[in-house]
């Protein structure tokens, strides 16, 4: 029997297809004879350097066959050892395992059994079992949870297995049995590694890796790309890694690290089929040894995993139901209570009654992690900014037990349809699907307790799923994507209510391992938004994020972010960062550009620029608190926005811009012409949500707000008059005039009285 997906060893994969290299040779105009000559040359040199020729694959296969006839072959031990649950109750006729549900697209409503989740796949991808990971932009941007079908076989199936049932009585025995199997497998793998090491570690051996030809640049074998012999190429990679690992002892005299590194990269490109650009980018993330393990792991598919939909069932019930259908599975690991790892299946996993009833979703294990880090609570208001096809949205819904409200957004309409399909199938009733460019989201609404940004990315963490990433990602992608990711992350931050009683958190994740798309994006957000800080993700495993990389320094708190690698954990490559919002976002935060200018793409120096404090003071509050009426006007407009379901705070940026750019007179003119203009409304929420405003929200009805707005809008002229009056009052001359008026009146009165007296006197004189 063949080896199941998880059982594939990541250590020494089978050589790549010769056809690939024949093509390369043809392209380079190199004859087969020439390439053979090079191979022989390297083999000869290795021999003269004392190392023995590696054993042939046939020899290894013979040994393996012998072993398997002695005892059954054991599954490869996962980096996160799972607890066995049950063996298949039937002798399963293995069928290809499916891709994840996260790959469905527009036509996903058609129940095409296995196919329904995998539409949007190009013909080539279909063959390869690749998913629809692609962003609307046309450039491949990845969904983190995808998986693809691959034939599944079990090596250790026999009649006794078929009798096994998942019962309390035998589960302990089964566990022991599987543990034994895994231990034996590990032993086997170790022995194989030691044997391989023996072949290349003969005492005193200094591998002759670099060419002596003076024609070759720096001694690097320029024909390496043509990969004449895969086995030899592989051996040379091994040798070079070994030299780089112990340079002082193993390097040949007069040779530099750079020369060995250049040779290694060339060989990696030839052997694994990467572009030089990407090979170097990925290589730089690791030590040479670890880089080798990473490239190796990318040649092996990750396990197929199901996420139990706890809105519909329990994991144990689901496991039992699937086992009864001929599925071999076990819990994904102690870190998850809802994941099931599938080894083989007699039925299409995308068409079982349980699947159709929404009891599970096919989702890569690492896709659980961002949602676990987000830790949504019941009754919260959550935003999933880039959510299609909804693997994480439906997970959030399950954790919230269908309470509260989730806004599931995606800018790609057709992917959003797939999202709706999943939301319905899985019975998530607290989800509102929206179709915005998430960079605009703060203008649409805000005040969320938590926001998940599972960002579009290059997919360098899921190369095993889509090997095309090896060659189709260019430097431009690693400029454009981080730019978009930065904008999206700032929008995510601006959409959160920092005063949320239960939350105020943002989780940023990608299925890429590059620093440009991860640490640099996070660092950028930290510098642009002083009102957020990184916090622990709460995830029990994962490597620390970088705090420095290639001469760039990041905030020390980046240690709290988590990195996942295929070679380290047998999961898709992933990155997770969790932020806590501590205060309102600075001015201009909700502008569509988020203040990210094109020249900002230029790396890290921009990332450190603090947001000027003066800007915040002037733009947010300055100019609006001066006059009473303006305050009331603002309040009314905020209420109106709330009534419309929009977040007044999201419009603060526009207002700030206007208030900063337009002088007071112009503002007044505009207002008197269009007091409740839509555009203006957007830009006129001055203050971020604070405790006070929250209580306002509760106590005041939106209708009041509207009434107020109407009243205000009817009195622009009055306001102008008042302003004019108040200006006059400030004028000293006017003041004097006004203060003398009553005196004049008195004077007049007293003059009249005097006149009257005089007249009386005259009259009395006449009378006399
Ligand atoms: C990694 S996938 C998300 C996967 C999803 N979170 C899940 O778990 O199923 C990235 C998504 O971002 C979407 N996207 C790309 N640019 C976007 C933007 N500007 N605004 C919103 N969504 C965007 C893509 O359509 C894609 O569906």
């Amino acid at each position: 029997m063949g080896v199941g997906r998880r059982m594939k060893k990541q250590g020494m994969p089978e050589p790549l297809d010769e056809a690939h290299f024949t093509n390369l040779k043809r392209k380079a105009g190199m004859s087969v004879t020439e390439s053979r000559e090079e191979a022989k040359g390297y083999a000869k040199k290795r021999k003269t350097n004392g190392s023995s020729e590696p054993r042939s694959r046939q020899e290894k296969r013979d040994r393996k066959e012998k072993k398997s006839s002695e005892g059954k072959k054991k599954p490869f031990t996962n980096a996160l050892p799972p607890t066995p649950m049950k063996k298949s109750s039937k002798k399963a006729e293995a069928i290809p395992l499916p891709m994840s549900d996260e790959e469905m697209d527009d036509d996903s409503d058609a129940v095409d059994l296995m196919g329904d989740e995998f539409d949007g796949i190009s013909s080539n991808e279909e063959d390869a079992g690749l998913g629809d990971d692609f962003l609307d932009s046309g450039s491949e941007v990845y969904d983190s949870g995808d998986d693809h079908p691959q034939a599944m076989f079990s090596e250790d199936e026999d009649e006794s297995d078929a009798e096994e049932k998942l019962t309390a009585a035998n589960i302990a025995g089964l566990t022991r049995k599987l543990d034994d199997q895994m231990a034996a497998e590990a032993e086997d793998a170790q022995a194989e590694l030691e044997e391989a090491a023996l072949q290349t570690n003969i005492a005193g051996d200094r591998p002759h890796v670099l060419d002596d030809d003076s024609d070759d640049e720096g001694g690097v074998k320029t024909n390496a790309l043509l990969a004449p012999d895969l086995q030899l190429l592989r051996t040379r990679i091994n040798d070079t890694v070994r030299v780089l690992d112990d340079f002082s002892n193993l390097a040949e005299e007069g040779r530099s690290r750079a020369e060995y590194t250049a040779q290694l990269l060339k060989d990696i490109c030839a052997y694994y089929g990467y572009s030089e650009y990407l090979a170097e980018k990925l290589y730089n993330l690791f030590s040479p040894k670890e880089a080798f393990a990473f490239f190796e792991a990318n040649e092996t598919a990750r396990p197929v995993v199901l996420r139990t939909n706890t809105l519909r069932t329990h994991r144990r019930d689901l496991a039992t139901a699937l086992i009864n259908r001929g599925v071999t599975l076990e819990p994904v690991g102690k870190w998850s209570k809802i994941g099931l790892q599938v080894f083989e299946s007699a039925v299409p996993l995308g068409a079982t009654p349980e699947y159709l009833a929404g009891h599970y979703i096919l989702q890569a294990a690492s896709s659980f992690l961002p949602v676990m880090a987000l830790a949504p609570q019941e009754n919260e208001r959550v935003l999933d900014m880039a959510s299609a096809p909804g693997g994480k949205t439906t997970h959030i819904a399950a954790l919230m037990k269908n309470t509260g409200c989730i806004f599931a957004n995606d800018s790609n309409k057709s992917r959003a349809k797939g999202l709706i399909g999943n939301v319905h199938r899985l019975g998530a009733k607290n989800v509102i699907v929206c179709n915005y460019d998430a960079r605009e989201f703060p203008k649409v609404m805000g005040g969320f307790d938590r926001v998940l940004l599972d960002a579009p990315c290059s997919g360098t963490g899921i190369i095993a799923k889509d090997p095309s990433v090896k060659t189709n990602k260019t430097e431009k992608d690693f400029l454009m994507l981080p730019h978009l990711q930065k904008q999206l992350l700032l929008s995510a931050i601006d959409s959160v209510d920092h005063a949320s009683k239960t939350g105020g958190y943002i989780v940023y994740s990608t299925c890429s391992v590059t620093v440009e798309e991860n640490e640099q994006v996070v660092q950028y957000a930290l510098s642009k938004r002083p009102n957020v800080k990184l916090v622990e993700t709460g995830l029990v495993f994962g490597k620390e994020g970088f705090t420095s990389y290639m001469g760039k320094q990041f905030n020390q708190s980046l240690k709290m972010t988590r990195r996942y690698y295929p070679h380290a954990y047998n999961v898709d490559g992933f990155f997770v960062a969790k932020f806590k919002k501590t205060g309102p976002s600075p001015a201009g935060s909700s502008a569509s550009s988020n203040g990210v200018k094109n020249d900002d793409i230029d790396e890290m120096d921009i990332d450190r620029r603090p947001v000027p404090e003066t800007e915040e003071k002037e733009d947010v509050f300055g100019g609006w608190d001066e006059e009473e009426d303006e305050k009331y006007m603002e309040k009314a407009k905020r209420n109106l926005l709330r009534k419309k379901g929009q977040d007044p705070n999201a419009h603060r940026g526009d207002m700030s811009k206007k208030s900063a750019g337009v002088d007071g007179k112009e503002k007044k003119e505009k207002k008197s012409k269009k007091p409740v203009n839509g555009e203006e409304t957007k830009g006129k929420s001055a203050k971020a949500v604070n405790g006070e405003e929250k209580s306002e929200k509760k106590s005041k009805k939106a209708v009041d707000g509207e009434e107020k707005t109407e009243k205000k809008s009817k009195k622009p002229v009055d306001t102008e008059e008042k302003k004019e009056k108040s200006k006059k009052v400030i004028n000293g001359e006017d003041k004097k005039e006004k203060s003398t008026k009553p005196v004049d009146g008195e004077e007049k009165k007293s003059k009249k009285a005097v006149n009257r007296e005089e007249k009386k006197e005259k009259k009395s004189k006449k009378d006399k």
Side-chain angles (χ1 to χ4, degrees):
M1 305 208 61
V3 182
R5 297 179 70 166
R6 192 189 66 103
M7 296 168 192
K8 277 191 171 182
K9 278 192 205 317
Q10 295 190 346
M12 306 279 274
E14 293 300 312
L16 299 183
D17 186 1
E18 276 286 352
H20 169 70
F21 296 100
T22 313
N23 279 340
L24 282 173
K25 285 169 198 166
R26 225 183 288 126
K27 265 191 208 165
M30 188 188 192
S31 73
V32 175
T33 335
E34 273 177 301
S35 64
R36 286 285 161 215
E37 282 310 308
E38 199 207 1
K40 278 180 197 158
Y42 183 66
K44 213 172 157 188
K45 277 174 189 162
R46 285 199 94 246
K47 271 185 185 170
T48 54
N49 271 279
S51 95
S52 64
E53 197 67 32
R55 281 187 319 169
S56 73
R57 292 237 157 232
Q58 186 54 48
E59 225 178 298
K60 280 189 183 175
R61 265 198 296 276
D62 291 347
R63 191 174 66 84
K64 273 188 185 172
E65 272 162 25
K66 200 174 158 224
K67 278 198 173 184
S68 64
S69 64
E70 286 161 6
K72 284 185 291 178
K73 195 78 184 165
K74 314 304 184 298
F76 171 68
T77 309
N78 199 345
L80 297 163
T83 319
M85 186 168 268
K86 166 144 177 56
K87 301 300 297 172
S88 170
S89 58
K90 291 175 202 164
K91 183 138 186 161
E93 198 179 308
I95 60 153
L97 288 174
M99 287 178 277
S100 81
D101 288 74
E102 298 172 324
E103 291 172 23
M104 67 164 30
D105 73 3
D106 357 358
D107 306 314
S108 56
D109 43 351
V111 181
D112 176 22
L113 302 185
M114 284 296 282
D116 66 341
E117 302 175 326
F118 317 128
D119 27 30
I121 302 166
S122 74
S123 52
N124 288 344
E125 285 163 348
E126 245 164 5
D127 295 341
L130 302 174
D132 171 26
D133 292 320
F134 304 98
L135 177 66
D136 40 344
S137 65
S139 73
E140 296 83 343
V141 180
Y142 289 91
D143 175 359
S144 41
D146 307 336
D147 218 335
H148 63 90
Q150 187 169 323
M152 287 290 301
F153 306 96
S154 167
E155 283 192 327
D156 54 355
E157 200 174 299
D158 63 16
E159 284 311 310
S160 62
D161 284 347
E163 299 308 314
E164 288 169 357
K165 293 275 185 298
L166 182 65
T167 64
N170 74 0
I171 195 158
L174 283 170
T175 308
R176 254 197 316 279
K177 186 176 165 191
L178 202 65
D179 283 349
D180 289 348
Q181 286 173 352
M182 288 193 291
E185 175 72 12
E187 212 175 281
D188 190 26
Q190 186 58 33
E192 210 169 303
L193 279 175
E194 278 165 13
E195 215 169 310
L198 261 182
Q199 288 168 16
T200 49
N201 279 304
I202 291 168
D205 170 33
R206 276 177 191 260
H208 183 72
V209 174
L210 303 173
D211 221 334
D212 301 322
D213 294 350
S214 52
D215 290 351
D216 281 346
E217 210 182 302
V220 173
K221 287 173 191 284
T222 47
N223 279 343
L225 274 175
L226 304 177
D229 183 303
L230 289 173
Q231 187 61 57
L232 280 173
L233 189 53
R234 190 183 173 80
T235 311
R236 190 163 71 198
I237 291 174
N238 254 314
D239 286 349
T240 319
V241 167
R242 208 157 53 84
V243 173
L244 287 169
D245 221 34
D246 187 9
F247 198 75
S248 51
N249 289 323
L250 296 181
E252 286 182 278
E253 230 166 85
R255 297 297 198 179
S256 68
R257 271 195 90 84
E259 285 174 79
Y260 281 98
T261 305
Q263 179 67 62
L264 182 58
L265 281 170
K266 283 209 176 293
D267 287 347
I268 282 169
C269 291
Y271 189 78
Y272 297 108
Y274 285 81
S275 69
E276 282 184 33
Y277 174 76
L278 192 68
E280 190 174 356
K281 183 175 283 301
L282 296 173
Y283 175 86
N284 286 335
L285 291 168
F286 310 104
S287 68
K289 208 173 179 176
E290 205 184 346
F292 184 32
F294 173 77
F295 289 119
E296 282 285 277
N298 288 344
E299 301 304 302
T300 318
R302 305 277 79 75
V304 169
V305 174
L306 308 177
R307 176 173 60 77
T308 312
N309 179 20
T310 51
L311 292 174
R312 298 243 199 250
T313 188
H314 301 289
R315 181 165 73 171
R316 177 164 276 268
D317 297 341
L318 174 65
T320 310
L322 291 177
I323 285 162
N324 289 337
R325 293 190 191 284
V327 181
T328 308
L329 45 74
E330 63 186 34
V332 75
K334 278 182 183 161
W335 59 275
S336 168
K337 288 183 177 149
I338 50 174
L340 286 169
Q341 189 171 327
V342 177
F343 297 97
E344 64 179 348
S345 177
V347 288
L349 286 170
T352 63
E354 289 75 22
Y355 174 85
L356 298 172
H359 289 194
Y360 64 88
I361 183 167
L362 292 157
Q363 197 175 18
S366 48
S367 279
F368 296 16
L369 302 168
V371 178
M372 289 168 78
L374 188 70
Q377 306 294 304
E378 286 174 45
N379 297 307
E380 281 188 336
R381 216 164 148 260
V382 176
L383 170 64
D384 189 353
M385 277 204 132
S387 62
K392 295 179 191 72
T393 304
T394 50
H395 189 181
I396 294 169
L399 291 178
M400 289 168 72
K401 303 201 171 105
N402 253 342
T403 66
C405 188
I406 304 165
F407 285 81
N409 178 67
D410 202 282
S411 62
N412 184 326
K413 207 168 189 174
S414 60
R415 281 177 70 90
K417 285 180 192 167
L419 159 70
I420 293 170
N422 272 329
V423 165
H424 283 296
R425 187 174 63 80
L426 295 165
K429 294 193 172 74
N430 56 348
V431 178
I432 294 167
V433 173
C434 2
N435 176 217
Y436 291 98
D437 182 329
R439 288 171 289 186
E440 304 290 333
F441 215 88
K443 284 186 178 176
V444 180
M445 66 183 87
F448 290 94
D449 295 301
R450 285 164 213 257
V451 175
L452 171 65
L453 173 58
D454 185 33
C457 69
S458 66
T460 55
I462 53 167
I463 288 171
K465 246 173 236 171
D466 183 3
S468 73
V469 173
K470 289 175 180 178
T471 48
N472 68 13
K473 290 289 169 275
T474 63
E475 197 170 357
K476 196 177 165 202
D477 291 306
F478 292 99
L479 290 175
M480 299 303 285
L481 280 165
H483 183 60
L484 173 65
Q485 289 156 348
K486 285 172 187 174
Q487 290 180 311
L488 288 169
L489 181 52
L490 295 191
S491 284
I493 292 168
D494 296 341
S495 299
V496 166
D497 175 9
H498 73 277
S500 161
K501 282 189 182 133
T502 55
Y505 293 101
I506 302 104
V507 166
Y508 173 75
S509 62
T510 70
C511 58
S512 178
V513 293
T514 66
V515 173
E516 290 90 332
E517 296 176 82
N518 298 317
E519 282 87 348
Q520 274 186 213
V521 174
V522 169
Q523 177 68 46
Y524 178 84
L526 289 176
S527 57
K528 282 282 172 186
R529 293 289 182 269
N531 56 330
V532 292
K533 60 175 186 181
L534 282 169
V535 292
E536 291 291 351
T537 59
L539 300 169
V540 292
F541 68 104
K543 298 199 176 211
E544 285 178 1
F546 290 105
T547 51
S548 63
Y549 176 74
M550 309 269 293
K552 286 167 189 162
Q553 297 299 318
F554 307 124
N555 193 302
Q556 282 302 307
S557 63
L558 260 296
K559 268 188 187 166
M560 284 189 268
T561 64
R562 286 290 170 265
R563 290 188 149 259
Y564 299 88
Y565 299 120
H567 63 282
Y569 304 108
N570 200 19
V571 296
D572 286 337
F574 230 89
F575 176 83
V576 182
K578 183 172 184 176
F579 298 88
K580 168 84 178 144
K581 190 168 175 179
T582 53
S585 287
S589 58
S590 62
S592 62
S593 71
N594 281 320
V596 185
K597 294 174 202 120
N598 278 331
D599 39 308
D600 281 356
I601 297 170
D602 190 21
E603 303 310 323
M604 290 312 297
D605 52 335
I606 45 106
D607 292 352
R608 294 201 189 87
R609 284 184 300 186
V611 177
E613 267 183 33
T614 48
E615 200 183 310
E616 180 177 25
K617 278 172 195 162
E618 281 171 17
D619 289 352
V620 180
F621 304 110
W624 292 92
D625 287 337
E626 281 173 12
E627 297 161 47
E628 280 275 299
D629 283 351
E630 295 296 348
K631 269 200 281 181
Y632 289 115
M633 185 85 102
E634 280 312 305
K635 210 181 260 181
K637 283 172 186 169
R638 282 204 302 274
N639 284 334
L640 180 62
L641 283 170
R642 283 192 199 107
K643 194 191 167 197
K644 286 181 180 172
Q646 297 184 8
D647 177 22
N649 297 306
H651 302 279
R652 196 178 49 231
D654 290 353
M655 183 222 70
S656 310
K657 273 191 174 173
K658 282 176 187 168
S659 62
V662 182
D663 70 41
K665 205 178 175 186
E666 277 175 2
K667 266 192 256 170
K668 279 170 201 164
E669 276 171 15
K670 278 184 186 171
K671 269 175 229 156
S672 61
K673 280 175 195 165
K674 286 183 182 178
V676 196
N677 172 300
E679 266 307 300
E680 282 201 348
T681 314
K682 274 185 185 175
K684 284 180 186 171
S685 63
K687 289 174 187 172
V689 179
N690 57 27
E692 205 181 327
E693 282 195 338
K694 264 195 162 183
S695 59
E696 264 176 33
K697 268 187 200 170
K698 282 174 197 165
S699 59
K700 288 185 184 171
K701 286 178 185 170
V703 181
D704 296 343
E706 200 171 20
E707 278 172 6
K708 274 186 192 172
T709 314
E710 272 173 24
K711 279 178 194 167
K712 299 282 170 195
S713 65
K714 280 175 193 164
K715 291 181 179 177
V717 182
D718 293 355
T719 316
E720 282 297 310
E721 281 172 3
K722 275 185 191 173
K723 281 172 195 165
E724 285 302 313
K725 278 178 190 169
S726 62
K727 272 185 186 171
K728 280 182 182 172
V729 170
I730 296 165
N731 184 306
E733 281 302 306
D734 284 348
K735 270 182 193 169
K736 274 182 193 170
E737 276 175 25
K738 280 172 195 168
S739 65
T740 54
K741 271 180 187 173
V743 178
D744 291 347
E746 285 302 311
E747 273 181 358
K748 276 179 190 171
K749 274 181 193 172
S750 59
K751 275 180 185 173
K752 276 181 186 174
V754 171
N755 287 341
R756 266 198 302 273
E757 286 299 312
E758 281 174 354
K759 276 179 186 173
K760 272 182 188 176
E761 273 178 30
K762 278 179 187 174
K763 213 182 174 184
S764 63
K765 277 178 186 174
K766 273 183 185 176
D767 291 344
K768 281 175 187 174

